[in-house]
Amino acid sequence: MAQKKLYAGVKLRETRTRLGLTQKVFAAKLGVSLPYLNQMENNHRPVSTTVVLALAQEFGMDVTELSSGDTERLVSDMREALADPLFSDTPPQADLRLAASNAPALTRAFLELHSAYRRTQERMASLDAALGQRAEYVAASPWDEVRDFFHYIDNHIDAVDRAAEHFAGSDPMAAAHKALEDRGITLRVSEETGLRNFDPERRVLTLAARSDTASRNFQILHQLALITQMDLLEATLDLARLQSDESRAIARIGLANYFAGAALLPYSRFRAAAQETRHDIERLAYRFGASLEQVMHRLSTLQRIGDKGVPFFFVRVDQAGNITKRHSATRLQFARFGGACPLWNVHRAFETPGRFLRQLAQTPDGERYLLLARDVSKPAHAWRAPDRRFAIALGCEVSHAAGLVYADGLDTGNADAYEPIGTSCRICERRDCHQRAIPPLERKLRFPVNRRHQLPYEIDE
């Protein structure tokens, strides 16, 4: 596969501005002419290998930051938005990439506007919700706003991550119990409570008896984040600039969850163990006293500058195919609307409980991935109380496969071993997919009378 050109104008400008250098001085330090630097900063030329080396040597820059996933995320989100029938034509991919690279703030504003339009349309399409209501701007839902906040920061919050690592020390739960003791907080277990209940007046933290040890430990660390790290969490929320109190409240829970996961699985020790075990999820769960889901989610957050782990994507889906958690540090991005591609092995995980499924997959852009999936059940431990069932998936680009024990025995060099997958049907470019649920919105359709293939229509090239 040909090496893709690296356009990173925004990152170059941000670096130069942070250092307080003029274009002339910055160009001299990089060993390029002033016009050449200007062209790179405006994405008229790709960043050369010489410049990449100079950034690392002159400024000690982690050059992996140049290939930030923001552009790929924005391009993917814009393609999906512009596939809406509202727009007559979809701009070329090159134009979308130029907009995402040069004007990311404007691009996000467009996506927010389109999301508001979709929510308004969905509200009006539902008569019981629309009758008697005047048309009005529908703000981004708090859940969507918080989801996008974590999505666009690679789900890695360095200050919170480092604070959690410092708190955990060499034994996270020993540190947690000492923190409770130092604050006069009594820990109790009860069958009559939800997952966690903290009474600040009585100084009692009550956990559910039905929860397993990993879940209880996580809830202890979550509560301690709210007790011991509130200043840090609030400062992080200030930087997020969320638009509503509801969004801020949801994000606060997300940050406390992040702290809990980062304390239970401290960055440096966990990343070293992941490399040592070749990312054996079950061994890592056993070693750190964590659940499989906690381990898989944590693996997708190891994006510390200068000490990055394998870039993974992580997703959790329910039995109806709804995505309930999603994050990607890879080129593969998830659809903002609708479910995941039905060809992903994550959907088959429900059929084989208790087993990891492996899949070699290729997306329409030619990228190849190694995907892992497994079902996870959360029993209710009570008669007639419904169990909660999900499937979780972890994946990375196949170039990292050698570092994963799950790649052993797979023929990663055989093109025929890769199954074709997509992001979602509405923007998938594949014309002959036997699992297509709806037509692609970017293509015109034909409806021949005298012939029929797998679909009741044909897709124009």
Side-chain angles (χ1 to χ4, degrees), residues 76-107:
S76 175
D77 291 347
M78 279 198 296
R79 280 191 62 226
E80 188 175 2
L82 290 165
D84 194 306
L86 171 71
F87 304 101
S88 57
D89 295 304
T90 302
Q93 188 93 344
D95 289 356
L96 299 183
R97 191 172 300 281
L98 190 64
S101 299
N102 283 359
L106 181 61
T107 302

Side-chain angles (χ1 to χ4, degrees), residues 69 73 154 300-301 303 310-314 327-333 397:
R73 292 184 181 91
D154 271 344
S300 73
T301 69
Q303 295 298 298
V310 171
F312 284 106
F313 77 76
F314 170 78
H327 168 62
S328 179
T330 72
R331 291 191 182 98
L332 180 65
Q333 304 303 325
E397 294 176 16

Side-chain angles (χ1 to χ4, degrees), residues 281-317:
I281 294 166
E282 289 168 299
R283 287 182 63 189
L284 290 170
Y286 175 77
R287 182 177 298 187
F288 287 89
S291 69
L292 297 178
E293 182 174 346
Q294 289 167 353
V295 168
M296 291 170 72
H297 186 271
R298 181 58 167 153
L299 285 171
S300 73
T301 69
L302 301 183
Q303 295 298 298
R304 180 178 290 178
I305 294 176
D307 189 26
K308 289 189 176 184
V310 171
F312 284 106
F313 77 76
F314 170 78
V315 65
R316 188 180 74 179
V317 303

